[in-house]
């Protein structure tokens, strides 16, 4: 049995929930030929295993022990009021957090009493937010300018929240030559990465952020640029998708924009958290 | 999930949301709201509680869109991770197990069940809730053949006889349905770890998100 025949046969067997299992046990010449092919073909083995996993998952989810029991698979649609409520809440948050970073000064000034390497970059960000509007020339896209200012405003708000917490932490981001090139700062809820050591990535490239711990690297985000400052904001609060364990390293690497969940590019910045 | 023709895909959508684009946020809700809400209703057994948790999940997206990395996982997977965490918190707060709603869902919670750990039960319930919601989103004809095949354990031939339709129609509906479901299962980390397989037409399996339980 060649590869195409095997692929087609697996697709046919996949139509019956029990057919894949039965194939392994059956003794027909066709089944034996497929089993032999799968044993020597990683691609078909993976495909076979994938369909088995689909069947297993579906069978578990739709299984009923009582014959004739009705399975709850009718569509459950949210009422229109939920949509309206969510959009209204989002809009209200926008109004509560205006585009211009009105909440910059009080917290930042209070925290400035304790020196932090983050403050220099935070100050640069504040200037960048204001400058985004002031420096936008006649050829600049207003939409892009507004979008960038909004994004920066969010970064500044996160920096403020971090600095406002007494137990905030700051780690120095180092370049490959060991020079300080930025900061990773975090507190109970936020994690902010700021650096001025990166140049804008070329077409088809992006800077991606990773957490390395216990021999595993996990992609957590992509750096954005505002002028010469690159930044990334993550969450550490109770629903966060990332967590910081002791000994975790923060890594920035240059990757293709359509890169996978595995790092392939060289490390350009890193910090021990 | 990619956008429909002419619509931005989820990655683009989230980047727009991160800049405060309300239109992108609306589109994200329209695209994934039913999945999140339907899964939560099945898990919590309470439409009102499900609506509150769904709202939390979407507002988290609105506030934290910049922390989403499309290369690390899908948007529905991310939203469902947030929703799951919020829903379990809610159940913990109410000191109760998932409200399983119908007696049918209680089938495998008998005393002799080998896994009675509440966390395991909750994980299983959550996975079942999502899968059933995926099935509920299929066109009715495809949904019927899936239920007859997996819930009733009928063969393709028996389904054809039961529905009084040609076997070819049953097969084509089944083929479309399981292909759709496989694609959806890949979107949610932890649902079925090896579903990605080597299919060239399937999206790459996302890395599992790490939740802080």
């Amino acid at each position: 049995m060649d590869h195409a025949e095997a692929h087609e046969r697996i697709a046919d067997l996949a139509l019956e929930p029990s057919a894949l299992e039965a194939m392994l046990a059956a003794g027909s010449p066709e089944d034996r030929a497929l089993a032999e092919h799968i044993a020597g073909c990683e691609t078909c083995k993976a495909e076979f295993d994938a369909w088995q996993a689909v069947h297993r998952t579906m069978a578990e989810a739709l299984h009923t022990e009582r014959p004739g029991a009705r399975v709850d698979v009718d569509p459950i649609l949210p009422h229109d009021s939920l949509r309206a409520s969510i959009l209204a809440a989002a809009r209200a948050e926008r109004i509560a957090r205006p585009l211009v970073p009105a909440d910059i000064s009080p917290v930042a000034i209070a925290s400035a009493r304790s020196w932090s390497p983050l403050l220099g970059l935070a100050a640069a960000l504040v200037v960048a937010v204001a400058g985004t509007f002031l420096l936008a020339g006649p050829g600049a896209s207003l939409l892009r300018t507004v979008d960038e200012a909004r994004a920066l405003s969010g970064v500044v708000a996160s920096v403020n929240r971090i600095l406002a917490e007494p137990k905030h932490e700051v780690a120095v981001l180092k370049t490959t030559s060991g020079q300080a090139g930025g900061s990773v700062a975090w507190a109970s809820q936020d994690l902010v990465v700021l650096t001025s050591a990166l140049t804008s990535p070329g077409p088809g490239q992006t800077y991606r952020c990773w957490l390395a711990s216990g021999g595993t690297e996990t992609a957590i985000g992509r750096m954005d640029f505002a002028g010469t400052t690159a930044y990334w904001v993550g969450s550490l609060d109770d629903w966060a998708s990332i967590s910081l364990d002791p000994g975790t390293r923060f890594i920035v690497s240059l990757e293709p924009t359509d890169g996978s969940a595995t790092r392939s590019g060289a490390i350009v910045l890193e910090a021990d958290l | 999930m990619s956008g429909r023709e002419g619509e931005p895909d989820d990655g683009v959508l989230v980047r727009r949301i991160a800049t405060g684009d309300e239109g992108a946020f609306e589109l994200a809700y329209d695209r994934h709201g039913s999945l999140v809400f339907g899964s939560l209703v099945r898990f919590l057994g309470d439409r009102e509680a499900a609506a509150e948790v769904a709202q939390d999940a979407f507002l988290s997206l609105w506030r934290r869109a910049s922390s989403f990395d499309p290369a690390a996982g899908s948007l529905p997977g991310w939203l469902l991770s947030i929703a799951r965490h919020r829903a379990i918190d809610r159940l913990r707060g109410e000191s109760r197990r998932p409200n399983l709603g119908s007696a049918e869902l209680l089938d495998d919670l008998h005393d002799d069940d080998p896994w009675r750990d509440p966390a395991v039960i909750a994980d299983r319930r959550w996975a079942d809730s999502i899968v059933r919601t995926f099935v509920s989103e299929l066109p009715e004809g495809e949904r019927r053949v899936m239920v007859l095949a997996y819930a009733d354990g009928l063969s393709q031939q028996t389904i054809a006889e039961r529905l009084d339709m040609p076997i070819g129609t049953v097969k084509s509906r089944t083929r479309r349905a399981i292909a759709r479901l496989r694609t959806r299962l890949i979107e949610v980390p932890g649902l079925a770890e090896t579903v990605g397989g080597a299919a060239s037409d399937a999206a790459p399996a996302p890395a599992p998100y790490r939740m802080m339980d």
Side-chain angles (χ1 to χ4, degrees), chain A residues 7-8 11-12 14-17 42-44 46-47 49-66 68-87 89-94 97 146-148 150-151 158 161 188-191 206 208-211 213 218-224 231-245 248 257-262, chain B residues 15-22 25-27 29-30 33-34 37-38 41-42 47 50-52 54-55 58-64 66-72 78 81-82 85-86 89 102-105 107-108 110 124 127-129 131-133 135-138 143 146-147 149-152 154-157 171-172 174-176 178-179 181-182 185 191-201 205-213:
Chain A
H7 201 78
E8 190 177 333
D12 283 342
L15 295 177
E16 296 273 4
E42 281 188 20
T43 305
C44 286
E47 185 67 359
D49 290 345
W51 281 119
Q52 278 193 309
V54 170
H55 287 318
R56 203 163 41 243
T57 305
M58 294 294 300
E60 282 176 4
L62 300 185
H63 173 71
T64 59
E65 290 191 353
R66 284 177 300 172
R70 191 167 173 280
V71 187
D72 162 34
V73 290
D74 290 335
I76 297 176
L77 299 176
H79 196 276
D80 286 347
S81 62
L82 177 61
R83 185 180 193 277
S85 170
I86 289 173
L87 297 179
R91 198 163 297 128
E93 288 200 2
R94 159 68 55 72
R97 289 188 303 167
V146 169
D147 284 350
E148 194 169 89
R150 279 177 176 156
S158 298
R161 280 197 296 273
S188 63
Q189 291 194 30
D190 303 276
L191 183 147
T206 187
R208 292 182 65 189
C209 307
W210 311 80
L211 286 181
S213 177
T218 307
I220 59 169
R222 295 172 187 236
M223 302 290 284
D224 284 309
Y231 61 91
W232 183 74
V233 180
S235 171
L236 295 170
D237 66 14
D238 62 355
W239 56 264
S241 57
I242 60 173
S243 61
L244 301 183
D245 303 319
T248 299
T257 49
D258 58 353
S260 71
T262 306
Chain B
R15 290 182 79 79
R16 289 187 185 169
I17 293 169
T19 68
D21 184 334
E22 289 180 23
F25 185 61
E26 282 188 57
L27 194 50
Y29 175 82
D30 291 342
S34 293
F37 180 74
V41 171
R42 288 185 167 88
R47 285 184 68 97
E52 287 175 15
Q55 176 155 332
F58 276 94
L59 287 179
S60 295
L61 168 64
W62 176 244
R63 294 174 192 136
R64 309 280 183 173
S66 61
S67 64
F68 172 76
D69 180 0
W78 197 58
S81 292
I82 297 169
H85 190 77
R86 290 287 199 209
D89 276 355
S102 66
E104 173 265 313
L105 275 172
D107 283 345
D108 45 8
H110 295 156
R124 166 81 184 272
D128 289 355
S129 299
V131 174
R132 289 181 178 202
T133 304
V135 174
S136 78
E137 292 180 336
L138 293 171
R143 195 162 70 235
M146 286 290 99
V147 169
Y150 288 99
D152 296 356
L154 303 185
S155 68
Q156 301 284 289
Q157 185 60 47
K171 285 189 173 182
S172 61
T174 303
R175 200 182 299 277
R176 281 197 303 272
I178 58 171
L181 289 167
R182 180 175 172 184
L185 292 172
L191 214 51
E193 297 298 351
T194 57
V195 168
S200 57
D201 55 348
Y209 284 110
R210 298 172 66 194
M211 300 297 297
M212 298 175 70
D213 283 319

Side-chain angles (χ1 to χ4, degrees), chain A residues 28-267:
Chain A
S28 76
E30 194 177 15
D31 286 346
R32 280 200 300 275
L34 177 58
E36 283 171 15
H37 179 85
I38 288 172
C41 174
E42 281 188 20
T43 305
C44 286
K45 172 78 165 60
E47 185 67 359
F48 185 84
D49 290 345
W51 281 119
Q52 278 193 309
V54 170
H55 287 318
R56 203 163 41 243
T57 305
M58 294 294 300
E60 282 176 4
L62 300 185
H63 173 71
T64 59
E65 290 191 353
R66 284 177 300 172
R70 191 167 173 280
V71 187
D72 162 34
V73 290
D74 290 335
I76 297 176
L77 299 176
H79 196 276
D80 286 347
S81 62
L82 177 61
R83 185 180 193 277
S85 170
I86 289 173
L87 297 179
R91 198 163 297 128
E93 288 200 2
R94 159 68 55 72
I95 293 166
R97 289 188 303 167
L99 179 60
V100 177
D103 56 345
I104 294 172
S105 302
V107 174
I109 290 169
S111 303
R113 292 186 193 120
S114 59
W115 180 86
S116 159
L118 185 67
L119 287 179
L121 281 166
L125 264 182
V126 173
V127 171
V129 174
T132 300
F133 282 112
L134 296 174
L135 301 178
S141 157
L142 180 60
L143 190 60
R144 186 175 167 214
T145 304
V146 169
D147 284 350
E148 194 169 89
R150 279 177 176 156
L152 289 173
S153 170
V155 177
V156 171
S158 298
V159 169
N160 278 338
R161 280 197 296 273
I162 290 171
L163 296 179
E165 287 193 35
K167 288 188 177 177
H168 70 260
E169 305 274 354
V170 180
V172 176
L173 263 178
K174 291 184 177 172
T175 64
T176 49
S177 60
Q179 300 288 311
S183 305
V184 180
W186 69 98
S188 63
Q189 291 194 30
D190 303 276
L191 183 147
V192 173
V193 184
L194 290 168
T195 175
S196 54
L198 300 178
T199 54
S200 291
Q205 291 183 308
T206 187
Y207 291 106
R208 292 182 65 189
C209 307
W210 311 80
L211 286 181
S213 177
T216 304
E217 292 181 354
T218 307
I220 59 169
R222 295 172 187 236
M223 302 290 284
D224 284 309
F225 274 80
T228 57
T229 301
Y231 61 91
W232 183 74
V233 180
S235 171
L236 295 170
D237 66 14
D238 62 355
W239 56 264
S241 57
I242 60 173
S243 61
L244 301 183
D245 303 319
T248 299
R249 277 191 315 140
F250 183 91
I251 292 169
V252 178
S253 65
L254 185 59
E255 304 283 338
T257 49
D258 58 353
S260 71
T262 306
R263 182 173 64 83
S264 60
I267 294 173

